[in-house]
Amino acid sequence: MAAPGAAGGRALLRGLSLSVWRVGAGSVSRSFRSSAVRCEATVISGTEMARQICKEICHEVESWVSLGNRKPHLSIILVGDNPASHTYVRNKIKAATAVGIGSEVILKPKDVSQEELLDITEQLNMDSRVSGILVQLPLPDHIDERTVCNGIAPGKDVDGFHIVNVGRLCLDQHSMIPATACAVWEIIKRTGIETFGKNVVVVGRSKNVGMPITMLLHTDGDHERPGGDATVTITHRYTPEEQLKIHTQLADIIIVAAGIPKMITSDMVKEGAAVIDVGINHIHDPVTGRTKLVGDVDFEEWRRFRHVFRWQWLEMWRTRMVPVLIVMKLVLQSSVYSGWKAGLHTKKIWI
């Protein structure tokens, strides 16, 4: 018998790819060991990774419900008519359906008051049917995003933006982790990229992406919430270009989330490094006259040199599938955590 939402999962994954470039002596390599043999980069599709994560969450949800527990449920608050926000929310609803998680969208006009949003989050906090709450950002200028995010109960905060979850993350304790940062960490682990003792440069200092990625990578692997034991340097859009280049040329791993197209070029990266591009930018394509989506790394330039240098790279902007699935995993985590607190079972799980 097919897992719940299996057909939806296939539809969701169709056409999505997450490009990971790896180079070895004629085969896919999971290490940074150099080789005298140079060969063309090999593309590993991220679709299979997303499909595996989807399958795992389906199984976990099935197991949870089979024990007599309520099906996990995600409530999303969407404000205004921002096209990108509506697209992201649609993807989250599709992902929830694919893995067997219930969901709903609470749509509010762009002139909604902050007080009304806080009333909604409070109602959802008290609703035992709701496992996870997510407020789609950005919010209109008259609303303070931090206040609204802090209005969500930490145990239901699947975005990981509540001050309690941020604090626990910084203290290497179990917490809800922002989805994009958690997805980067998941990808690093699943692709076998070594972090122990490695030099990592994170380009971008946002509290939702750059900061949590840094926390995950530099902290102790033996702590309550194990980290990557890497030496991490944080740079950003105001780091002088010559200084940025010095840092990146020393890095074994570069994670770019600055929101600046073509910020990282091939001459800034040493041979054998891994580059993960988290940037999402809309630019005008002079050839087609249309708007196209690009990351922060100039991969068009890199592709011209892929026969010469040993690089590994991953373009997260090509699909938001893995971060979206991580949100679903956090919704399940919230359900299990709530059951654990209520004494329904003894198992406490965290990503």
Side-chain angles (χ1 to χ4, degrees):
M1 182 175 177
R10 287 193 293 272
L12 187 62
L13 292 166
R14 190 179 300 120
L16 299 177
S17 65
L18 189 62
S19 300
V20 182
W21 291 83
R22 295 195 174 278
V23 182
S27 62
V28 174
S29 171
R30 288 195 170 187
S31 72
F32 292 121
R33 292 190 295 271
S34 61
S35 170
V37 179
R38 301 197 178 223
C39 61
E40 185 174 356
T42 302
V43 181
I44 304 174
S45 173
T47 301
E48 184 56 39
M49 184 189 302
R51 183 178 291 112
Q52 181 60 35
I53 294 173
C54 188
K55 186 185 300 183
E56 291 169 6
I57 299 173
C58 276
H59 176 71
E60 290 169 358
V61 171
E62 278 188 323
S63 297
W64 173 247
V65 174
S66 69
L67 294 174
N69 298 300
R70 182 184 286 117
K71 183 169 77 169
H73 182 88
L74 171 66
S75 294
I76 302 175
I77 302 171
L78 176 58
V79 178
D81 51 9
N82 183 310
S85 292
H86 279 256
T87 298
Y88 292 147
V89 168
R90 281 196 299 272
N91 288 339
K92 289 166 185 172
I93 294 299
K94 289 179 182 178
T97 301
V99 299
I101 288 176
S103 62
E104 66 177 333
V105 177
I106 301 171
L107 182 61
K108 290 295 175 180
K110 62 183 178 182
D111 60 352
V112 65
S113 69
Q114 179 170 298
E115 290 70 24
E116 183 176 351
L117 287 184
L118 291 173
D119 286 342
I120 293 171
T121 58
E122 182 59 29
Q123 292 171 17
L124 296 174
N125 288 339
M126 302 298 293
D127 190 343
S128 60
R129 177 184 61 92
V130 176
S131 313
I133 305 168
L134 186 155
V135 177
Q136 184 63 46
L137 303 181
L139 293 173
D141 292 340
H142 68 280
I143 297 174
D144 182 66
E145 292 182 351
R146 177 57 57 195
T147 299
V148 173
C149 289
N150 285 337
I152 300 172
K156 294 187 177 185
D157 169 36
V158 293
D159 259 336
F161 295 162
H162 191 286
I163 192 170
V164 169
N165 283 321
V166 174
R168 292 179 65 87
L169 172 66
C170 293
L171 292 173
D172 305 347
Q173 297 177 350
H174 291 308
S175 67
M176 297 292 192
I177 301 172
T180 300
C182 195
V184 170
W185 182 229
E186 189 77 12
I187 289 164
I188 285 173
K189 291 188 291 184
R190 287 176 183 258
T191 54
I193 297 175
E194 181 60 64
T195 60
F196 185 87
K198 297 296 183 180
N199 289 319
V200 178
V201 169
V202 176
V203 185
R205 58 184 174 181
S206 75
K207 300 300 180 283
N208 301 341
V209 181
M211 184 277 288
I213 287 174
T214 299
M215 290 295 115
L216 291 169
L217 285 170
H218 93 277
T219 49
D220 196 318
D222 291 330
H223 282 183
E224 178 183 323
R225 190 266 304 144
D229 284 310
T231 301
V232 182
T233 300
I234 304 174
T235 66
H236 47 77
R237 63 176 63 220
Y238 299 121
T239 301
E241 186 176 347
E242 64 275 12
Q243 291 297 319
L244 175 62
K245 187 173 181 178
I246 291 172
H247 290 304
T248 57
Q249 286 179 334
L250 293 173
D252 302 300
I253 304 168
I254 303 172
I255 301 169
V256 196
I260 301 176
K262 299 184 179 182
M263 187 179 192
I264 303 298
T265 53
S266 60
D267 62 313
M268 300 173 69
V269 183
K270 72 177 183 180
E271 185 178 352
V275 180
I276 300 177
D277 187 359
V278 186
I280 300 178
N281 308 288
H282 294 85
I283 66 170
H284 176 73
D285 188 340
V287 177
T288 64
R290 299 178 178 178
T291 299
K292 69 176 182 179
L293 195 63
V294 299
D296 290 352
V297 179
D298 190 353
F299 284 113
E300 294 303 320
E301 177 202 22
W302 283 36
R303 288 187 178 97
R304 296 200 298 271
F305 298 102
R306 68 179 183 267
H307 297 277
V308 182
F309 294 105
R310 298 181 67 252
W311 286 316
Q312 309 172 73
W313 74 73
L314 180 151
E315 300 169 283
M316 284 191 65
W317 62 266
R318 289 191 179 276
T319 171
R320 304 301 293 163
M321 188 62 227
V322 176
V324 166
L325 286 169
I326 293 298
V327 170
M328 301 310 129
K329 195 164 186 175
L330 290 169
V331 174
L332 174 62
Q333 173 178 299
S334 179
S335 282
V336 177
Y337 180 62
S338 297
W340 174 78
K341 286 201 303 180
L344 299 179
H345 59 90
T346 59
K347 184 180 179 183
K348 182 179 178 183
I349 67 163
W350 297 92
I351 288 178

